[in-house]
Each structure stands twice: as structure tokens, then as C-alpha cells.
Amino acid sequence: MAISSSSSSFSNYLMAVFAQDSNSSGSASGSGAAADSEDSQIGQEPNPGGQENQGNHRRRPPRQKINARERYRTFNVNSAYEALRSLIPTEPMNRKLSKIEIIRLASSYITHLSSTLETGTECQPCLLHKYESERLTRRISICTFCLKTK
DNA sequence: TAGGCCATCTGGTCCT
DNA sequence: AGGACCAGATGGCCTA
């Protein structure tokens, strides 16, 4: 379904989540592992007859509420990724980054900014920092952000 | 078409 | 007990 965390507000997202839950009986959304498995069906409806067990089927709590919370949690995680992404300069600025790219580039950018502070220059500070350090223990590879700055 | 990325569901575990 | 967090499984979408 691919809900865009950037364009939808929090309240809109919640409305979409619960609308989806009310429309579906747990196996919604095109994807979803064992959503159509026998086990997952057990928890879908609150057992209208009021009987605790049907044969050897185990009684499980309804998953809809839990699934909604999990989707909301994922939404929050994605919001955090988006916030972090907005702090990373790229060319072009709106370039699409995967989550792992966001993590790695953010880490690299922090290192770059740290070197900028330590060397006092914006002209390839990571490279300069490498040579200025007498006992450099960490390896510094070519810095993306050093290459970018002119 | 294979591989990467992602959203979703699910069950388990930990925390309050 | 209920919620938060996490990892595994699964299937859809997109791109080279």
C-alpha cells in the first residue's frame, strides 16, 4: 500500500489505518506473511458463540488492534528516517535514499562535520584531519562530503 | 527476470 | 495485562 509518511499528517494516517482495519478482517493489504493462514484466522473474530475453544484451535487475541499499533510504530520510524534524511545534503537535494543509505550517509556526514570543527576548514577537512592527527587510530576513507565541497 | 527495498503481519520478549 | 519493541516471513513494486 505504501503510505507516504511525508504527505500524510498524523491524523490522516491514523484514519487510514483504522479505516483499513475496519474494512479488512486482518488479512488486508496485499502483502502480509501468514495473514491468510489458519492460525491468523483464529484471532480475527471475537468468537461469536462465546466459546473459548473450537476443537483444538487455540484462542488468540484479535490481531487488528495490534497490527494497527505496529503500523503506527512503523510510521513513526519512517518519520524519523525522513527527519534524518532532510539533514543530509545530496545532489540533487530530493534524491531518493534507501533506509540503509540514510543511516550510512548520516554517519558519514557526522564524521565530516566533526572533522570540519576540528580542522577549522571546510576544504576537505576529513583528509586534512587524517594528516594532522599524530596518532590516528581510525581509518578515514574518501569522504563523500569532502569531495562535494569545492 | 533477479535482486533490492519496502510494508505488513505475526509471535516472542521485555517493560511499565 | 497491555503496550512497545524486535526479528522473521511473505509478497508487492521497481529497476538494471
Side-chain angles (χ1 to χ4, degrees):
Chain A
M1 73 188 284
I3 296 174
S4 170
S5 56
S6 59
S7 58
S8 61
S9 67
F10 170 68
S11 58
N12 286 340
Y13 177 78
L14 279 185
M15 287 176 64
V17 162
F18 288 110
Q20 181 184 13
D21 275 346
S22 59
N23 290 335
S24 66
S25 56
S27 62
S29 71
S31 48
D36 53 351
S37 71
E38 189 175 348
D39 270 359
S40 66
Q41 291 176 359
I42 297 173
Q44 301 307 324
E45 299 297 333
N47 198 358
Q51 298 170 340
E52 285 303 309
N53 289 306
Q54 294 276 349
N56 54 3
H57 285 198
R58 281 184 299 135
R59 178 94 164 86
R60 293 188 184 184
R63 292 293 310 189
Q64 294 182 22
K65 195 177 174 185
I66 300 174
N67 290 343
R69 274 201 307 269
E70 179 62 13
R71 285 196 296 272
Y72 171 58
R73 196 187 68 83
T74 302
F75 172 79
N76 276 330
V77 171
N78 289 340
S79 296
Y81 271 109
E82 197 172 317
L84 185 58
R85 167 65 184 94
S86 69
L87 300 176
I88 305 173
T90 56
E91 194 65 38
M93 191 56 201
N94 62 349
R95 184 185 139 208
K96 168 70 178 170
L97 296 179
S98 68
K99 290 180 178 178
I100 187 65
E101 285 176 320
I102 291 172
I103 295 290
R104 286 176 173 153
L105 279 177
S107 172
S108 174
Y109 190 45
I110 290 171
T111 301
H112 172 79
L113 293 177
S114 176
S115 294
T116 301
L117 278 176
E118 291 188 31
T119 62
T121 175
E122 292 185 15
C123 182
Q124 297 194 336
C126 295
L127 197 61
L128 186 62
H129 182 246
K130 176 182 180 180
Y131 291 117
E132 282 186 349
S133 300
E134 294 181 347
R135 298 185 304 278
L136 190 65
T137 54
R138 60 188 172 126
R139 270 183 30 199
I140 294 185
S141 54
I142 297 175
C143 174
T144 303
F145 302 99
C146 278
L147 291 175
K148 185 169 176 288
T149 56
K150 40 191 179 298

